[in-house]
Amino acid sequence: MSAVMRSRTVAWPRRLVHVVLIALALVFLVLFLLLPLATVFVEAFRQGVAPYLEAIKQPEALSAIKLTLLVAVIAVPLNLVFGVAAAWAITRFEFPGKALLGAFIDLPFSVSPVVSGLVYVLLFGAQGWFGPWLDDHGIKIIFAVPGLVLATIFVTLPFVARELIPLMQAQGSEEEEAARVLGASGWQMFFRVTLPNIRWALLYGVLLCNARAMGEFGAVSVVSGHIRGLTTTMPLEVEMRYNEYEYVGAFAIASLLALLALLTLALKSLLEWRYGDEIAAHAPGGH
Amino acid sequence: MKKSILVLLAAIGVLLTAAVAAKDVSLLNVSYDPTRELYRQINTAFAAQWKAQHGDSVTIQMSHGGSGKQARSVVDGLPADVVTLALAYDIDAIADRGLLAKDWQKKLPNNATPYTSTIVFLVRKGNPKGIKDWGDLVRAGVQVVTPNPKSSGGARWNFLAAWGYALKQPGGSDATAKAYVKELFKHVPVLDTGARGATNTFVQRGIGDVLIAWENEALLAQRQLGNNAFEIVVPSITIVAEPPVAVVDSNVDKHGTRAVAQAYVEFLYSPQGQEIAAKNFYRPRSPELAARYASQFPATHTFTLSDLFGDWRQAQAKFFNDGGIFDQLGVGS
Amino acid sequence: MRRRVLPGFGISLGYALAYLGLIVLLPLAALAWKASGIGVEGLLRLLSSPRTLAALRLSVVGAVVAALVNAVIGLLVGWVLVRYRFPGRRLFDALVDLPFALPTAVAGIALTTLYAPNGWLGQWLEPLGIKVAYTPLGVFVAMVFVGFPFVVRTLQPVLASLERDVEEAAESLGAQRWQTFFRVILPMLAPALLTGFALALARAVGEYGSVIFIAGNIPMRSEIAPLLIVQKLEQFDYAGAAALGVAMLAISFALLVLVSLLQRWSHRWQERSL
């Protein structure tokens, strides 16, 4: 009732303020976010559809796409399990050093991507701590898929945990305790009570984690070795083509990554639209 | 707790099994940025020749990037059988880590440089600023694009070419050369990290009046990006840029690929290899091919690195290491 | 009491610690160990060189200013998206996450294409004497871009859960709209705003992929700290690169701690005032 009253009694100066604020926000969003996105597609199709398809069909592009998917398929589930475990420990138990653990989870956010790649070179590179041992045993980590996966895991590690911790904190543990008291086993409790309560936040965390995993450039560039068709992910392929004056090719692959970004956003919006009430009901009161 | 360790071990196991790559009769050539087209053609031709002579098929993997970064990757364990980089210093750095013999430059003809290039200027159509020689680059209102010598091999050749020009002027000395180069870098609005970045800045973004570039880069850019938008200006004197090649001893021994790797680098000196190099705008060493492609490569006065600067280790230490002459120029401040 | 009821403390904490240790702490230990190779004196010399200082200043000051701008614009955008209804709202809401999802290299190339003197935006700014691409301003633009979603996304749930009763009560007591905003709403938003600010800041300090394309990379002027790290590596100076990495990590960690202290303080202040 009050909402109806309010909207009817909104005076014109205030309505003007609304319009100005909306206009300001939209101008910013268009200039800052929409234009760069549009640039990618305009450049990709600058010479028409045929060169675009040609660029994407090259075997090097296809192997980059496959590699990017492979890395994400390994890295994201590992970070998902970690995020759930860390959030469970932090929000359901009291233990010394809890705040420190929380800070460590955020640490990768404050490490420059260049450094995130460098640390693995220092560990597993030929001159690194484990380099000689790995070399003797014929195990390749740096300049191979495992190095790409490790660097990606490092960079995307906080996403799932960050989504879950505030939510689970806000939810409290009453329902889970009740389930236990009523005789549920640990896994039963987890799958029937905890997981349904956190699924949307979990999915959102996974989506962001995945988007970043597929798009990571700085860290992956350091550990990749840039072997065409073997260790080149899509963002690296974009850079290489850009450096080879294949602008259409570079932006074509970039447009695939942008499409992926859009798909992520669409999925997320769909979730919010479909289950908006449910998500809102569990929305944390701030992080 | 025990379970969690098991889960962890399983995760590591998954990572490690993915690491054991399939064995293949293949070579890895670690090269720098502008050689993609060149080695694509070389690789096809060499594979055909090797198959005809030995009956084995050989695949050549390529890795391209900034020369210094590529050398570091090899040092850190990128399993290159062959390195084909922008300057000898980068291969020296690999040799310093014991991956190949220190005298690698003596193992192939011409200081292990199968093809050369020079440093030239790329200007906009019609040469609106009337750029003819190095001296014109420091005129008021002229903007020069060149990458950062600290991170780009090509930029180091540019730097030494400019230095050599100033040194060879009447009354030229280290002091006058330093003054000239200092003035030159005041005209540089963007220092890209690599040669390719600099070309993109000049060509795509419309920044600057002159791009200092490898001749092969300038010719390639002209071909790739349309003949009409740019012109090449050859200065009165310039440096012979020598991008060397080498077999990485310890890697080929480990992979058992020495014979094919050696044949591969020698192929670069063969008439067929030399012709492919010339077609990709590198100046061939072979006199016959140089004569045949003479129209493509305008004659100019040149000097080599060893004429003026000794070897690359000395040049690197004097000019480009931390605290060296480039740092003393106070670029940007 | 809880501990007895809820299971999985050992396994979840054990797994989290082991994973964190292997993926994050062990590598960072290697970084610190490598950095220690240049010694205290070497570190001081490195950090006090004018070029390093200039690069660190650009990275840190640029990131702080970018995060401040993001806090203001993020507040505006978050407010508009939560409070007002207008056509296309969902679309714009989805767009906010774009910088999260768009690969940094792609963002860098796209921003450079836009803001270069011959780009869509650059050609309008150039006659006004505003140069964005290849200047410190370009670095700043890229930093705002990568950090933008953090503020909006941390503010939105809080804005949605703000109870209108409080605002209405304040207004019925005769408070002006702007008084309500600054005295009632802003304090309630402060903790989330600070979180968003901190995340945007941390992201921008270390940003490489998108900045590198649009920065002019001129020493002392438009060269960012991560680029210095890359250059050290090109010269095989692993210890120097690691030391710079540790220094950057220390700076951004210190900034994060500072923000979380601010946050705690604002939380307490808020609780006391309500």
Side-chain angles (χ1 to χ4, degrees):
Chain A
M1 187 206 77
S2 78
V4 178
M5 291 279 290
R6 277 171 60 90
S7 69
R8 204 175 293 161
T9 55
V10 168
W12 70 266
R14 190 178 287 179
R15 217 176 266 164
L16 186 70
V17 171
H18 287 192
V19 171
V20 169
L21 287 181
I22 292 175
L24 273 177
L26 294 194
V27 164
F28 176 83
L29 287 174
V30 166
L31 279 186
F32 236 73
L33 302 181
L34 204 55
L35 270 186
L37 185 67
T39 308
V40 172
F41 286 97
V42 168
E43 295 286 330
F45 287 103
R46 183 160 287 252
Q47 293 167 20
V49 179
Y52 177 88
L53 292 177
E54 191 67 29
I56 289 176
K57 276 193 300 200
Q58 282 182 20
E60 288 153 349
L62 291 178
S63 74
I65 294 170
K66 265 188 234 153
L67 180 63
T68 303
L69 293 176
L70 174 69
V71 168
V73 159
I74 302 174
V76 173
L78 285 172
N79 276 345
L80 178 137
V81 174
F82 164 76
V84 173
W88 180 256
I90 286 182
T91 61
R92 295 296 180 260
F93 302 98
E94 290 303 325
F95 54 92
K98 195 158 120 170
L100 196 65
L101 180 61
F104 279 151
I105 292 175
D106 280 346
L107 204 53
F109 272 156
S110 49
V111 176
S112 176
V114 177
V115 176
S116 332
L118 173 63
V119 291
Y120 289 108
V121 173
L122 294 178
L123 273 184
F124 302 119
Q127 309 183 88
W129 281 0
F130 305 121
W133 185 87
L134 291 169
D135 195 38
D136 289 344
H137 292 74
I139 302 169
K140 297 191 64 59
I141 291 190
I142 296 298
F143 309 123
V145 176
L148 295 171
V149 171
L150 278 173
T152 306
I153 290 180
F154 184 99
V155 173
T156 59
L157 182 131
F159 281 102
V160 175
R162 264 214 87 81
E163 284 302 314
L164 291 185
I165 291 171
L167 174 71
M168 288 171 71
Q169 220 140 32
Q171 283 176 349
S173 58
E174 285 81 7
E175 287 183 41
E176 283 140 359
E177 281 165 28
R180 286 291 282 169
V181 170
L182 291 172
S185 77
W187 289 118
Q188 275 175 329
M189 172 213 70
F190 178 76
F191 283 109
R192 301 225 180 127
V193 180
T194 312
L195 203 56
N197 278 341
I198 61 169
R199 59 189 160 170
W200 303 122
L202 190 65
L203 205 58
Y204 186 41
V206 165
L207 283 176
L208 287 184
C209 179
N210 184 54
R212 184 76 203 272
M214 292 193 178
E216 177 51 28
F217 172 75
V220 166
S221 160
V222 178
V223 295
S224 146
H226 298 90
I227 307 174
R228 259 274 161 69
L230 276 186
T231 62
T232 314
T233 61
M234 286 165 76
L236 298 177
E237 184 75 19
V238 171
E239 191 218 13
M240 287 171 89
R241 292 196 180 202
Y242 187 73
N243 276 345
E244 281 158 3
Y245 311 135
E246 281 190 39
Y247 303 115
V248 167
F251 279 103
I253 306 224
S255 76
L256 289 184
L257 285 163
L259 273 180
L260 187 85
L262 289 177
L263 189 72
T264 307
L265 302 186
L267 266 179
K268 203 206 104 217
S269 301
L270 189 72
L271 284 176
E272 277 172 0
W273 174 70
R274 182 93 171 65
Y275 302 99
D277 300 338
E278 210 172 324
I279 295 172
H282 294 307
H287 286 231
Chain B
M1 191 66 203
K2 226 180 222 169
K3 253 188 195 164
S4 63
I5 290 171
L6 279 180
V7 172
L8 197 73
L9 286 177
I12 293 173
V14 170
L15 290 180
L16 294 188
T17 44
V20 185
K23 278 261 170 193
D24 200 345
V25 192
S26 67
L27 280 185
L28 175 59
N29 177 357
V30 172
S31 193
Y32 60 115
D33 262 330
T35 58
R36 181 189 184 200
E37 220 22 65
L38 168 70
Y39 279 108
R40 182 173 277 185
Q41 292 168 26
I42 290 275
N43 292 347
T44 313
F46 173 73
Q49 193 205 57
W50 186 259
K51 177 129 192 155
Q53 287 173 356
H54 299 81
D56 299 333
S57 48
V58 53
T59 28
I60 294 135
Q61 309 281 0
M62 292 303 303
S63 166
H64 296 277
S67 189
K69 177 181 177 158
Q70 294 293 77
R72 188 174 52 74
S73 293
V74 174
V75 167
D76 280 326
L78 185 63
D81 299 283
V82 172
V83 283
T84 52
L85 296 178
L87 43 120
Y89 176 74
D90 288 326
I91 302 185
D92 281 338
I94 302 172
D96 285 345
R97 271 73 183 178
L99 293 173
L100 54 104
K102 294 229 174 193
D103 61 346
W104 60 272
Q105 272 195 300
K106 300 206 173 71
K107 294 194 171 171
L108 287 164
N110 304 103
N111 270 333
T113 313
Y115 40 76
T116 65
S117 191
T118 60
I119 300 302
V120 299
F121 306 149
L122 196 66
V123 297
R124 303 197 184 276
K125 181 73 192 164
N127 196 357
K129 299 266 167 140
I131 307 290
K132 293 199 179 61
D133 204 355
W134 291 99
D136 299 323
L137 302 188
V138 293
R139 282 205 320 249
V142 174
Q143 283 201 319
V144 181
V145 175
T146 180
N148 189 340
K150 299 285 264 191
S151 57
S152 157
R156 277 174 236 177
W157 287 114
N158 295 354
F159 185 101
L160 294 180
W163 186 277
Y165 154 78
L167 206 59
K168 294 246 175 186
Q169 296 312 294
S173 67
D174 267 15
T176 62
K178 193 168 172 181
Y180 170 74
V181 172
K182 183 174 178 144
E183 185 57 33
L184 177 62
F185 274 91
K186 284 193 186 146
H187 290 254
V188 178
V190 182
L191 273 179
D192 281 281
T193 49
R196 280 298 166 103
T199 313
N200 274 322
T201 299
F202 180 76
V203 167
Q204 286 292 101
R205 308 281 159 249
I207 301 276
D209 305 302
V210 194
L211 173 77
I212 310 181
W214 299 70
E215 182 183 50
N216 58 295
E217 275 288 272
L219 285 164
L220 182 71
Q222 222 182 17
R223 185 180 69 181
Q224 299 275 82
L225 307 162
N227 267 316
N228 301 317
F230 306 99
E231 287 175 17
I232 290 173
V233 172
V234 181
S236 65
I237 185 162
T238 187
I239 197 166
V240 181
E242 296 163 290
V245 303
V247 171
V248 183
D249 294 328
S250 69
N251 285 346
V252 293
D253 289 344
K254 206 184 304 166
H255 305 156
T257 48
R258 180 176 285 282
V260 56
Q262 187 67 32
Y264 181 73
V265 291
E266 279 165 10
F267 179 76
L268 298 171
Y269 290 88
S270 73
Q272 202 184 353
Q274 290 282 296
E275 175 135 33
I276 293 173
K279 278 185 181 153
N280 284 283
F281 311 120
Y282 286 89
R283 295 188 175 212
R285 288 286 196 186
S286 141
E288 296 144 45
L289 277 151
R292 202 186 307 159
Y293 282 85
S295 64
Q296 189 176 306
F297 304 111
T300 179
H301 291 289
T302 55
F303 55 88
T304 64
L305 182 88
S306 58
D307 289 343
L308 294 184
F309 306 105
D311 64 17
W312 257 111
R313 282 175 204 273
Q314 292 163 319
Q316 176 75 23
K318 179 174 173 186
F319 293 101
F320 308 119
N321 276 353
D322 280 356
I325 285 177
F326 180 73
D327 283 351
Q328 295 163 22
L329 296 178
V331 174
S333 57
Chain C
M1 182 61 207
R2 261 179 168 192
R3 201 163 297 180
R4 249 167 277 156
V5 178
L6 290 183
F9 176 63
I11 179 174
S12 62
L13 185 64
Y15 180 77
L17 284 180
Y19 191 83
L20 205 58
L22 276 178
I23 299 285
V24 176
L25 298 182
L26 179 70
L28 290 181
L31 184 75
W33 168 77
K34 195 81 199 180
S36 69
I38 65 170
V40 178
E41 201 190 319
L43 184 69
L44 287 178
R45 191 157 2 107
L46 174 68
L47 293 183
S48 62
S49 91
R51 193 149 163 232
T52 316
L53 284 177
L56 283 173
R57 196 180 321 126
L58 179 61
S59 278
V60 173
V61 175
V64 169
V65 178
L68 281 174
V69 168
N70 268 332
V72 174
I73 300 175
L75 183 58
L76 168 72
V77 171
W79 179 269
V80 165
L81 288 175
V82 171
R83 282 297 173 91
Y84 304 146
R85 292 293 171 269
F86 53 91
R89 188 183 63 92
R90 278 192 187 286
L91 200 73
F92 283 105
D93 188 51
L95 201 60
V96 168
D97 278 332
L98 185 75
F100 274 162
L102 199 65
T104 53
V106 176
I109 294 175
L111 287 175
T112 315
T113 309
L114 271 180
Y115 287 98
N118 60 5
W120 289 352
L121 290 177
Q123 59 181 325
W124 300 106
L125 295 172
E126 180 88 356
L128 303 174
I130 305 171
K131 285 188 185 168
V132 180
Y134 311 115
T135 66
L137 192 59
V139 176
F140 166 78
V141 165
M143 284 174 166
V144 172
F145 182 84
V146 294
F148 176 71
F150 287 104
V151 176
V152 182
R153 287 304 177 227
T154 46
L155 276 181
Q156 267 179 330
V158 190
L159 274 170
S161 70
L162 269 191
E163 289 168 29
R164 292 238 171 155
D165 318 5
V166 185
E167 288 169 54
E168 279 167 20
E171 276 173 58
S172 70
L173 290 171
Q176 293 285 328
R177 188 72 181 148
W178 60 270
Q179 281 178 322
T180 317
F181 181 78
F182 282 102
R183 299 263 180 88
V184 180
I185 301 175
L186 205 56
M188 290 207 270
L189 292 179
L193 197 58
L194 278 169
T195 303
F197 172 81
L199 290 174
L201 176 67
R203 179 68 208 276
V205 168
E207 181 55 20
Y208 180 75
S210 58
V211 174
I212 208 69
F213 288 98
I214 200 171
N217 303 325
I218 301 281
M220 313 292 294
R221 215 162 58 213
S222 51
E223 187 177 59
I224 54 167
L227 177 61
L228 273 191
I229 297 182
V230 170
Q231 287 182 15
K232 296 257 172 234
L233 285 177
E234 309 277 89
Q235 295 169 53
F236 301 95
D237 182 4
Y238 291 83
L244 262 181
V246 169
M248 284 190 64
L249 184 59
I251 290 172
S252 53
F253 204 64
L255 287 171
L256 287 184
V257 168
L258 193 72
V259 171
S260 82
L261 286 178
L262 267 178
Q263 205 167 13
R264 205 170 285 179
W265 174 78
S266 83
H267 221 74
R268 226 173 274 157
W269 185 78
Q270 180 193 350
E271 267 166 15
R272 212 180 301 149
S273 70
L274 279 179

